[in-house]
Amino acid sequence: MKTSLLKWRPDYDNAAEEYNKAATCFRNAKSLEQCRDCLIKSSDCHRQNRALFHAAKCFDQAILISKEMNKLSDIRGLAERACNLYQQHGSPESGATVLDKAAKILEQSHPEDALQLFKQAVDVATIEDSTRQGAEYASKVSRIMVKLGMYDQAADAIRREIGLLQQVGSDSAIGRLAVALVLVQLARGDYVAAEKAFKEWGNCCDAAEVQTLESLLQAYDDEDPELAQRALSSPFIRHMDIEYARLARDLPLPKGMAIAPKANVIENAAASYVSPNSGAASDASKPVAGPAGGDDEDDGGLC
């Protein structure tokens, strides 16, 4: 790296190679921090030498070292730098792959960072017309959003995934996503949007899925919790992706129609109620006595 009177420019190529050798030695010696520093320095030397692919590979290895060090918060930044270098080199597929690999490492412990990496992977794949790969990354975006309870964003992500699958022509996958979209809309509390999603994409569902969705929407329309529970317990919903299966399990059921409880009647608790007017009415119905000393035929009253 040093310059002299006869050496005006640092020898980045040899320096990168020496840093790589040093990183290997540090890794064998379990000095992971120094190993990662050497890899980053090697990447910088490769970048100065315009060897962008090798520079990206160094960041790729640094991601694995960070995982061994349990410094997961550094992985997202390293993955983004590696993807940028891969794209500059003209290898966007490798860039999307490194984003996917880093996101899988972060998915359990840092789902927010994993979500951003998967989003970037979708953008990289779709820019390069790799629609099928982009749909796979979009599926991971949707599932993480459902896991985090981001139902509004999850509905938009599922629609984007459906759009990518339409370009591929995978109707069966669209049918399963239609079920997922209905569940997400019900989780949002928007029955109208759930019914609209079924009407829009239900033609891609198979017979069992259509029957289950019809029963589910009918249950929410009729406020029937038992019918909704039976629909949500259908086999194909239980065997969906784990995030959607858990969503169906935890979905709020309709409340049902409130039925007033029967009143308990206590015998002889109080005297029967008699209307004040009932006496006058009964008196009016009684026969009217005739005048004293009148004829015998008038003794029977009016009748």
Side-chain angles (χ1 to χ4, degrees):
M1 294 290 291
K2 292 183 178 179
T3 58
S4 63
L5 181 62
L6 300 177
K7 182 185 175 184
W8 294 358
R9 187 176 184 275
D11 188 357
Y12 291 113
D13 191 12
N14 287 330
E17 184 66 24
E18 296 300 326
Y19 276 129
N20 272 329
K21 293 178 181 179
T24 301
C25 294
F26 281 127
R27 184 169 187 174
N28 293 335
K30 303 300 181 182
S31 299
L32 300 181
E33 185 73 37
Q34 293 169 300
C35 173
R36 191 178 66 168
D37 291 341
C38 287
L39 287 171
I40 293 174
K41 290 178 180 179
S42 177
S43 175
D44 185 62
C45 291
H46 282 304
R47 186 176 57 83
Q48 293 290 343
N49 206 34
R50 304 302 300 169
L52 300 179
F53 185 85
H54 295 291
K57 289 294 291 182
C58 290
F59 280 119
D60 203 343
Q61 296 177 35
I63 290 173
L64 300 178
I65 298 300
S66 297
K67 179 184 177 182
E68 291 186 34
M69 296 169 59
N70 201 27
K71 289 191 175 182
L72 302 182
S73 58
D74 299 336
I75 290 180
R76 178 183 171 185
L78 295 172
E80 290 173 343
R81 293 172 71 180
C83 179
N84 187 29
L85 290 170
Y86 277 128
Q87 286 182 290
Q88 292 182 42
H89 177 262
S91 303
E93 298 85 1
S94 299
T97 301
V98 73
L99 291 174
D100 178 46
K101 180 173 65 176
K104 288 178 179 178
I105 296 174
L106 298 174
E107 190 170 357
Q108 296 300 324
S109 57
H110 296 74
E112 295 84 1
D113 289 340
L115 177 61
Q116 297 304 319
L117 292 177
F118 280 132
K119 283 183 176 180
Q120 295 179 42
V122 174
D123 294 336
V124 172
T126 52
I127 288 174
E128 299 300 324
D129 294 330
S130 182
T131 307
R132 188 177 298 275
Q133 193 67 36
E136 293 181 8
Y137 298 143
S139 174
K140 296 174 182 178
V141 170
S142 304
R143 297 202 301 267
I144 292 179
M145 285 181 173
V146 169
K147 179 180 178 181
L148 296 177
M150 303 166 60
Y151 298 130
D152 293 338
Q153 297 90 328
D156 295 334
I158 291 175
R159 291 192 192 95
R160 184 181 184 184
E161 185 182 352
I162 289 176
L164 293 173
L165 290 174
Q166 278 184 308
Q167 300 178 33
V168 177
S170 180
D171 289 343
S172 60
I174 293 176
R176 289 190 294 272
L177 281 179
V179 179
L181 183 57
V182 169
L183 294 176
V184 169
Q185 297 291 14
L186 291 176
R188 293 179 61 240
D190 194 342
Y191 169 79
V192 176
E195 188 175 13
K196 182 179 178 182
F198 174 62
K199 290 180 179 178
E200 187 174 3
W201 307 109
N203 58 336
C204 298
C205 300
D206 59 25
E209 293 170 346
V210 169
Q211 184 178 3
T212 301
L213 288 180
E214 286 178 347
S215 300
L216 180 61
L217 293 174
Q218 186 65 38
Y220 276 84
D221 189 32
D222 296 342
E223 297 290 330
D224 188 345
E226 295 182 1
L227 180 59
Q229 185 62 54
R230 288 198 300 270
L232 292 172
S233 300
S234 62
F236 82 89
I237 287 183
R238 292 201 306 267
H239 292 88
M240 292 178 69
D241 291 326
I242 185 64
E243 291 81 7
Y244 298 128
R246 288 177 178 173
L247 176 63
R249 182 194 63 189
D250 300 333
L251 197 66
L253 298 176
K255 300 297 183 181
M257 301 298 292
I259 300 176
K262 294 182 179 180
N264 295 325
V265 178
I266 302 176
E267 295 182 359
N268 302 324
S272 300
Y273 174 75
V274 179
S275 172
N277 298 325
S278 62
S282 61
D283 291 338
S285 63
K286 291 180 180 180
V288 180
D295 296 334
D296 295 338
E297 64 270 12
D298 294 333
D299 291 342
L302 293 177
C303 298

